[in-house]
Amino acid sequence: MATMIKAEHLTFCYPDEPADHPPVLDDVNLEIEAGSFVAILGHNGSGKSTLAKHMNALLTPTAGKLWVEGLDTADPENLLAVRGKVGMVFQNPDNQIVASVVEEDVAFGPENLGVPPAEIRQRVDTALHMVGMYDLREHSPHLLSGGQKQRVAIARALIHDCSILLIDEGTSALDQKNADIVEQSLLSNPDLTLILISHHLTAERKKQFDRVYDLTPAHLSAL
C-alpha cells in the first residue's frame, strides 16, 4: 500500500519555550498507509494536537521530517497541496462555525476556492449524508447539540475531497453508537485514510483500528 503520512525523527519545540524545556514531540517515527484506520493516543499535554498540526503543515518540525503523500511539509511550496490532502476536525466545533445555516457552513470552503455551484451542491449533500446531518441542512449550526456540531465539522472537512481525514477528539461529544455510525460511514470510502486522535481507548475499542500509536513523553510507539 502507498504511504500517506510518514514521520522520521520528528522533533518539535515551541519557540517561546525556555531552551532547557523538553521538546513537545521528541524523535517521533510513524508510517500511515493508504485506506487505513489509525488511532493516536496520549494523555493531555502529550503532544497529540501538536502532532496533528504537523500533519497538515500548520506546524513544521524543529528537527526531523514529516511527509504527506511524499510531500515534505516543511517546504513552503507544498503548503497548499498538503492542506488539500488532509482534512482536520478539531475538538471544539464552536470555534469552526462560520455561517448561520448548516449547508452554508459546510459549503464555505469550496465557495471561497471558486468551485462551481453545482459541484458544491453535490459535495455538500454527499458530506451531510455521510455524517447523518442531511435532514438538518437548513438549521442553524449554533442551535445544534454538541454532537451534531461535531458532525457538521466532519462534513466541512470531507467536502474538500481530502484523501486523509484527521479527527482530533472530534467525536468526543457523540455517544459510542453514533460515533460508530459516523466512523463506519467514513470507512465505507476505501480512498479515505482515517486518523483518530484520542486521550484514551478501551482494549476492545483498540481492536477496531488497523494500527494504534501511543504517544508518550519520549517517543511514539506502535502497539
Side-chain angles (χ1 to χ4, degrees):
M1 288 187 178
T3 298
M4 302 301 284
I5 294 180
K6 183 176 182 179
E8 286 187 354
H9 307 296
L10 190 159
T11 298
F12 181 76
C13 304
Y14 283 102
D16 55 349
E17 295 285 2
D20 59 350
H21 192 279
V24 179
L25 298 172
D26 188 10
D27 197 30
V28 170
N29 296 278
L30 61 80
E31 191 165 339
I32 297 174
E33 296 180 340
S36 58
F37 186 26
V38 174
I40 296 176
L41 306 181
H43 57 73
N44 290 338
S46 63
K48 302 187 304 298
S49 293
T50 299
L51 178 60
K53 290 174 182 177
H54 276 77
M55 291 181 178
N56 80 337
L58 287 173
L59 296 173
T60 55
T62 302
K65 289 288 186 180
L66 188 138
W67 297 270
V68 174
E69 293 191 46
L71 298 175
D72 182 353
T73 59
D75 185 342
E77 294 187 0
N78 294 335
L79 183 61
L80 291 179
V82 167
R83 292 184 181 170
K85 295 177 183 296
V86 184
M88 290 193 69
V89 181
F90 295 101
Q91 185 172 5
N92 189 345
D94 288 299
N95 294 339
Q96 302 169 65
I97 294 172
V98 295
S100 59
V101 178
V102 166
E103 61 183 5
E104 293 176 0
D105 189 72
V106 175
F108 180 80
E111 283 179 345
N112 282 345
L113 294 174
V115 176
E119 184 177 345
I120 292 176
R121 178 75 268 164
Q122 182 181 17
R123 288 193 195 183
V124 169
D125 290 350
T126 299
L128 289 175
H129 274 298
M130 287 189 73
V131 299
M133 288 296 294
Y134 181 78
D135 290 343
L136 297 177
R137 63 191 181 280
E138 297 180 352
H139 283 55
S140 167
H142 297 281
L143 300 179
L144 298 175
S145 69
Q148 289 170 332
K149 289 176 182 177
Q150 286 187 318
R151 292 190 192 199
V152 173
I154 293 170
R156 191 186 307 113
L158 286 172
I159 199 173
H160 293 287
D161 200 25
C162 55
S163 53
I164 303 164
L165 182 60
L166 197 157
I167 301 178
D168 187 358
E169 302 280 6
T171 57
S172 59
L174 300 177
D175 58 56
Q176 194 55 57
K177 178 181 177 181
N178 283 307
D180 287 342
I181 290 172
V182 171
E183 286 173 7
Q184 290 307 310
S185 178
L186 297 173
L187 293 170
S188 67
N189 181 355
D191 298 323
L192 184 66
T193 302
L194 185 59
I195 304 170
L196 180 69
I197 293 183
S198 181
H199 69 281
H200 174 72
L201 292 176
T202 64
E204 189 64 28
R205 176 84 166 109
K206 289 177 183 179
K207 296 177 183 178
Q208 298 175 330
F209 294 85
D210 297 311
R211 195 165 192 182
V212 175
Y213 288 96
D214 184 22
L215 187 60
T216 70
H219 63 280
L220 193 69
S221 60
L223 299 180

